[in-house]
Amino acid sequence: MHARKLSAEHQIFRETLRAFIQKEILPHIDEWEKRGEIDRRIWKRMGDMGFMGLNYPEQYGGLALDFYYSMILCEELSHCFSGGFTIAALVIQYMSAPYLLKYATEELKERYLRPVIAGEMVSAVAITEPGAGSDVKNIKTTAVRTGDYYIVNGSKTFITNGYYGNFFITAVKTAPDKGTKGISLLLIDRHTQGISANKINKLGWHASDTAELAFDQVKIPASNLIGAEGEGFRYLMDGLQLERLTAAIHSVATAESALQYTLEYLQQREAFGKKIAEFQAVRHCIAQITADIATTKAFVYHCCDLQYEGTYAVRECSIAKLQASELAVQAVGQCLQLFGGYGFTEDYKIARLYRDVRVGTIIGGTSEIMLEIIAKMSIDHINYQSQKPA
């Protein structure tokens, strides 16, 4: 199957999801943006509908559906005019919980993965530190084994769902002298003694809680280790392809929603006695955005086909993330321009989209990192291999 040839079941799912968003999410977006907090009850409602476990096995409460259902979820949530809400949802299902499914013990899956899929818990992934963003191997947070516990010290930053979430999949150094072989993943409960969190005041994504975390002598059961000690870097590198692909889908869908919103505006506004949409400069601008979205979306859909087939597509996902995030920044900026002065006000949602979309070239690996990965594969013939679960 190809993403461009979705089945009738996929289309029915899209319509069901769209109706749910219209009723349960859109009426609350402005309030969540203003408060800087998403009402937790929405995750339970989404869990009840099965939306929080599309790609997870039925034994944990998931629906075990193919990747195209996840693609549709990413697209439709991206039309909510709130990058903050969308990213909170995507982080749970595609950027943090997958580590539980792939590598965690059955006990951890029952205690944490099942409630996530039910919408009863919110998960986060804590990798980035004040001194280590894209350079994961240089994280400084340590976890020292003492009997049946790890003692964790250090800090993390830019952690989506880090303030209101329930737990973090955390990258720690269990053997600081071993480089990438010394990194492990620990599940850390948000309310464990010794953890403090501060919300970051951000340019965009106002609905989502992005936090700085500090760990001071935090005592974590050794049973909270995810997978094998020292294998965390491999696990993280393996998980990045899905993270980058969902980010690419989100970027393209956001650009699409901005274009549609702008088209509706242009039909209503007049200047010099005629509709703005009738001016050739405006028409050509819209035409170019339309063409750019169409070509980028086709490549992103190609990557979705690869994900559906189970292909470990580092090169393709890196290209998709690069092109889609850069396109979204450019397209939304041009759309805002077409609103004139109104685009610079909070009365129109294009201003929020403009703020939200900017971070797309930074999250999940910056555009510069994407270019370096593509360069290594194209010039140096480096071939990245998938890391199978131990």
Side-chain angles (χ1 to χ4, degrees):
M1 191 187 294
H2 295 289
R4 59 186 176 276
K5 295 180 181 175
L6 297 176
S7 68
E9 287 78 11
H10 289 116
Q11 301 299 352
I12 291 167
F13 171 75
R14 190 187 291 276
E15 294 305 320
T16 304
L17 175 60
R18 202 170 274 177
F20 176 88
I21 289 170
Q22 194 75 33
K23 181 170 181 274
E24 301 285 355
I25 296 174
L26 288 180
H28 307 292
I29 287 290
D30 289 349
E31 182 196 348
W32 297 342
E33 285 281 327
K34 195 177 293 183
R35 279 173 40 201
E37 180 181 359
I38 299 163
D39 188 332
R40 293 183 68 91
R41 289 175 295 185
I42 192 58
W43 306 124
K44 185 70 178 78
R45 291 200 183 103
M46 288 176 69
D48 290 344
M49 292 291 290
F51 298 147
M52 300 303 293
L54 297 179
N55 57 326
Y56 291 89
E58 293 176 15
Q59 70 185 95
Y60 305 113
L63 298 181
L65 295 170
D66 67 56
F67 183 72
Y68 297 131
Y69 287 91
S70 291
M71 181 192 83
I72 291 167
L73 181 78
C74 293
E75 289 180 333
E76 294 301 322
L77 290 182
S78 299
H79 294 158
C80 289
F81 297 101
S82 172
F85 172 73
T86 307
I87 197 63
L90 299 187
V91 162
I92 295 168
Q93 191 161 179
Y94 303 108
M95 302 180 190
S96 56
Y99 295 107
L100 287 176
L101 176 65
K102 284 194 201 169
Y103 310 112
T105 60
E106 285 302 316
E107 184 203 353
L108 287 179
K109 287 175 185 173
E110 287 296 328
R111 280 176 53 204
Y112 292 96
L113 181 58
R114 184 178 290 279
V116 162
I117 292 169
E120 294 162 357
M121 277 191 176
V122 172
S123 58
V125 58
I127 306 172
T128 303
E129 299 185 359
S134 300
D135 189 10
V136 178
K137 68 177 181 294
N138 279 329
I139 62 167
K140 299 283 189 280
T141 299
T142 58
V144 178
R145 181 75 183 255
T146 308
D148 293 333
Y149 291 88
Y150 286 98
I151 305 302
V152 180
N153 286 283
S155 60
K156 299 289 179 180
T157 193
F158 305 128
I159 309 306
T160 299
N161 299 340
Y163 195 80
Y164 296 115
N166 297 94
F167 65 91
F168 324 118
I169 307 299
T170 312
V172 294
K173 279 275 179 80
T174 43
D177 55 338
K178 290 187 178 177
T180 57
K181 299 290 186 186
I183 295 173
S184 304
L185 295 186
L186 272 184
L187 189 153
I188 298 181
D189 198 288
R190 160 77 175 84
H191 297 291
T192 309
Q193 189 173 348
I195 298 175
S196 56
N198 294 307
K199 281 177 80 171
I200 297 171
N201 189 15
K202 309 184 296 295
L203 170 68
W205 281 5
H206 290 169
S208 82
D209 56 302
T210 309
E212 294 176 317
L213 306 172
F215 304 101
D216 182 14
Q217 294 293 110
V218 178
K219 195 176 178 183
I220 301 297
S223 57
N224 279 27
L225 179 70
I226 294 174
E229 191 174 279
E231 296 296 314
F233 186 81
R234 288 173 59 233
Y235 299 159
L236 291 171
M237 293 305 104
D238 206 48
L240 286 175
Q241 306 327 310
L242 179 59
E243 179 173 335
R244 286 166 182 168
L245 178 54
T246 51
I249 298 167
H250 172 50
S251 289
V252 173
T254 301
E256 279 188 308
S257 70
L259 177 60
Q260 189 57 44
Y261 187 64
T262 304
L263 286 169
E264 291 167 9
Y265 173 82
L266 293 178
Q267 295 300 333
Q268 301 161 6
R269 301 291 299 180
E270 291 189 359
F272 304 105
K274 61 179 180 178
K275 289 262 174 44
I276 294 178
E278 294 174 10
F279 288 93
Q280 189 181 60
V282 172
R283 294 168 71 82
H284 287 187
C285 178
I286 290 292
Q288 188 61 58
I289 296 171
T290 302
D292 290 342
I293 289 173
T295 51
T296 304
K297 185 175 181 179
F299 186 79
V300 170
Y301 271 22
H302 166 60
C303 293
C304 291
D305 292 338
L306 294 175
Q307 180 71 27
Y308 172 84
E309 293 161 4
T311 304
Y312 184 68
V314 175
R315 181 175 175 273
E316 290 83 356
C317 287
S318 299
I319 291 172
K321 165 70 170 60
L322 172 70
Q323 298 297 85
S325 60
E326 293 289 347
L327 164 67
V329 171
Q330 180 186 3
V332 175
Q334 289 173 325
C335 285
L336 185 145
Q337 183 74 14
L338 296 176
F339 278 74
Y342 290 110
F344 201 62
T345 71
E346 294 295 333
D347 295 337
Y348 288 87
K349 291 185 173 64
I350 195 69
R352 184 191 300 160
L353 288 179
Y354 183 78
R355 287 187 277 104
D356 285 352
V357 84
R358 185 57 189 85
V359 76
T361 62
I362 299 170
I363 60 154
T366 62
S367 289
E368 291 76 16
I369 291 292
M370 295 304 99
L371 287 166
E372 186 58 26
I373 291 169
I374 298 162
K376 281 180 177 177
M377 298 187 79
S378 303
I379 300 168
D380 305 329
H381 307 294
I382 289 175
N383 184 26
Y384 296 98
Q385 300 294 325
S386 175
Q387 311 296 336
K388 299 300 180 190

